Amino acid sequence: MRVTWVQPEDVLRHELIQSAVEGKAIGAVAARWTAAGGRLGAPERGASADAATPAQRRLARDLIDELDAMPSPVSGDEPTEFDAIRATWSAPPALPSVSRAVLEDRIRGAWLGRAVGCLLGKPVEGVGRAGIREILQATGRWPLADWFTARGLPETVAARHPWNRASRTTSLAENIDGMPEDDDLNYTLLALALVEERGRAFTTDDVADRWLKDLPGLRVFTAERAVYRNLLDGIDPVDAATVRNPYREWIGAQIRTDLYGWIWPGDPHAAAELAWRDARLSHVRNGVYGALFVAAMAAAACIAKDIHTVIAAGLSVVPPRSRLARSIGLALDLARRAVPSEEAIDQLYAAHDGLHWVHVLNNAAVVAFALACGGGDFSRSICAAVAAGWDTDSNGATVGGIVGALSGASRLPERWKRPLKGRIASSLRGFDGATFDALATRTLALAAGTLALGDRTLALGDRP
């Protein structure tokens, strides 16, 4: 059995790449691995096709631990501790007040938008940008503007670019029947349950406990799977992100933190603080910053009037000299200069050449570009995020949740909402078959507990 993301011989190959990025001296370790017959470079999939020998596996584990033990050159540009991260933050933009009715519609729009964007990207997750374009052109649907379909798709194209195996039966226009399960929504549901149980004062230990109790091990991936294994091995949650986890600056934490913004509407910094407590369980540096970026945008999107204010709120919590800030800055500059979409995405691919397709830097750049060039239009934004490739369902979900909140459920096009049938599937205890209306009501209750709600307007409450 080849469980993805945890085979020692594959973890080592990813760790060599991550350690090199961090400035560690990997030459001797890489030489020992290749001398033992090991391969270098990232495996094409979550688990390489050929299993290592028992001796190679033992060596791989030893070498991973050796790399983990090497100190990384310290950079003040990319702090790791919360107080140091917060010291880099800037003031968020001024945000208006909204009525309770508007907030309720915004939160419902956030849930629906996140689901729609995720579902749009599901069938082409892992297909790649070129494959997405060929599929759409072959069915006369380029540029992307609606659900993917297999109707009219030539067999030769389908063979070259097969749909994502795990989701092709539930995410094409002809077979969508409600929102199917996806890790991008499972984490949002899990955060809802966490805050309902533990309140705003939840800890990283609480996040770990909730994972082990509620998340099936094969429903988590990359950094989350590595950390899940670490928790079962008795490693303390505050250390789990840095042990045998080469995915620590990938996208995983960025997909987990929308809920913290929805329950802190109008306070991006408070939302980012909750996001940090969650993200630090599995990620470091830019992997954490991506989570803060999204949580802060989600908080602003619930009450802001335009997408530029939302993006500014997100940038206020990203260390300004970090690699993530540079990636986002490039994307926003391309959008500001109105560089044609395909040319802009070409430049993003060139700037992030060599990164894995679920790394945080390239995907955060796509999120920023899709939001900026979409201008607050829901359809344009989610389609731009998915058509760009890389982690299509995750980026579609993030963009969909943010623009869905900005628009409100009442303004989302029916062609996107209708196939969801108002419900979601999940393997999480108590959530399978949950309705989006019920989820929005529960989320609004948390927001009402966070902020002072008057009869007609929403006013900012105290920070945690």
Side-chain angles (χ1 to χ4, degrees):
M1 183 176 181
R2 300 286 288 162
V3 179
T4 55
W5 309 113
V6 292
Q7 305 297 329
E9 60 270 29
D10 298 327
V11 172
L12 175 60
R13 291 167 66 182
H14 284 297
E15 182 55 54
L16 285 164
I17 295 170
Q18 177 63 27
S19 290
V21 168
E22 294 174 358
K24 295 181 180 180
I26 67 167
V29 172
R32 287 167 62 192
W33 178 238
T34 55
R39 298 176 59 191
L40 300 177
E44 292 184 4
R45 300 185 180 276
S48 54
D50 299 323
T53 66
Q56 286 175 323
R57 285 196 157 194
R58 287 192 296 271
L59 175 62
R61 289 191 178 96
D62 290 343
L63 294 177
I64 295 165
D65 290 344
E66 186 174 324
L67 290 168
D68 281 351
M70 286 184 186
S72 298
V74 177
S75 171
D77 292 344
E78 295 187 350
T80 57
E81 297 303 318
F82 179 69
D83 286 343
I85 295 171
R86 182 164 55 185
T88 72
W89 293 356
S90 57
L95 293 166
S97 296
V98 297
S99 70
R100 184 182 179 114
V102 168
L103 179 62
E104 183 176 7
D105 187 52
R106 294 282 190 100
I107 289 176
R108 184 174 286 105
W111 276 105
L112 286 168
R114 184 162 180 79
V116 168
C118 176
L119 186 53
L120 178 64
K122 277 176 74 68
V124 291
E125 181 185 15
V127 169
R129 181 185 172 207
I132 292 170
R133 179 163 186 163
E134 186 173 0
I135 287 169
L136 291 169
Q137 288 178 328
T139 52
R141 298 163 72 91
W142 177 262
L144 176 64
D146 207 336
W147 302 107
F148 287 90
T149 180
R151 295 189 182 114
L153 184 65
E155 292 184 5
T156 53
V157 176
R160 274 196 300 275
H161 308 292
W163 304 112
N164 180 276
R165 182 174 56 186
S167 58
R168 61 190 172 194
T169 60
T170 59
S171 58
L172 299 177
E174 54 268 30
N175 58 35
I176 298 173
D177 184 22
M179 179 63 201
E181 180 174 15
D182 192 273
D183 60 316
D184 293 276
L185 272 296
N186 273 348
Y187 287 119
T188 317
L189 299 170
L190 201 71
L192 175 62
L194 172 67
V195 179
E196 286 179 329
E197 178 185 1
R198 297 292 183 178
R200 289 173 292 149
F202 74 83
T203 66
T204 303
D205 280 11
D206 292 329
V207 178
D209 180 68
R210 178 64 66 169
W211 281 22
L212 294 181
K213 287 180 177 177
D214 286 355
L215 276 176
L218 293 182
R219 291 291 193 273
V220 296
F221 307 94
T222 63
E224 287 72 19
R225 186 168 291 179
V227 167
Y228 200 105
R229 176 207 60 214
N230 288 344
L231 296 173
L232 291 175
D233 202 29
I235 294 171
D236 192 284
V238 300
D239 299 319
T242 57
V243 177
R244 295 181 179 175
N245 175 22
Y247 322 112
R248 53 192 176 270
E249 289 194 280
W250 288 20
I251 198 177
Q254 183 169 286
I255 73 175
R256 302 205 306 259
T257 57
D258 297 60
L259 188 281
Y260 306 128
W262 302 344
I263 66 168
W264 266 118
D267 197 334
H269 285 192
E273 182 172 347
L274 299 190
W276 177 82
R277 293 184 214 154
D278 186 317
R280 72 188 291 242
L281 176 62
S282 55
H283 288 74
V284 301
R285 291 181 297 275
N286 294 279
V288 170
Y289 309 154
L292 309 186
F293 178 57
V294 169
M297 287 196 292
C302 287
I303 66 172
K305 295 181 179 179
D306 63 86
I307 196 62
H308 302 294
T309 299
V310 171
I311 295 170
L315 286 173
S316 76
V317 299
V318 176
R321 292 189 296 274
S322 65
R323 284 169 288 148
L324 189 80
R326 292 199 295 272
S327 291
I328 294 169
L330 171 61
L332 295 179
D333 179 64
L334 292 168
R336 179 187 59 79
R337 292 189 288 113
V339 175
S341 181
E342 287 300 291
E343 181 183 339
I345 300 300
D346 283 343
Q347 291 192 42
L348 292 183
Y349 269 70
H352 298 94
D353 185 45
L355 291 184
H356 196 277
W357 62 274
V358 291
H359 200 282
V360 73
L361 297 181
N362 44 356
N363 286 288
V366 163
V367 166
F369 180 76
L371 290 171
C373 75
D377 180 272
F378 182 78
S379 298
R380 284 179 57 196
S381 301
I382 61 170
C383 289
V386 171
W390 285 325
D391 199 343
T392 52
D393 64 332
S394 295
N395 294 337
T398 298
V399 170
I402 290 167
V403 185
L406 188 65
S407 302
S410 60
R411 294 173 57 198
L412 297 183
E414 283 298 320
R415 64 189 174 90
W416 294 120
K417 293 188 293 185
R418 190 181 306 109
L420 271 60
K421 298 184 177 179
R423 67 175 189 269
I424 185 171
S426 177
S427 58
L428 298 183
R429 175 167 44 99
F431 281 111
D432 191 39
T435 67
F436 289 105
D437 285 349
L439 294 172
T441 297
R442 290 167 66 175
T443 306
L444 181 64
L446 293 175
T450 300
L451 303 175
L453 283 171
D455 291 336
R456 297 184 67 250
T457 60
L458 180 73
L460 293 181
D462 295 332
R463 289 283 305 276

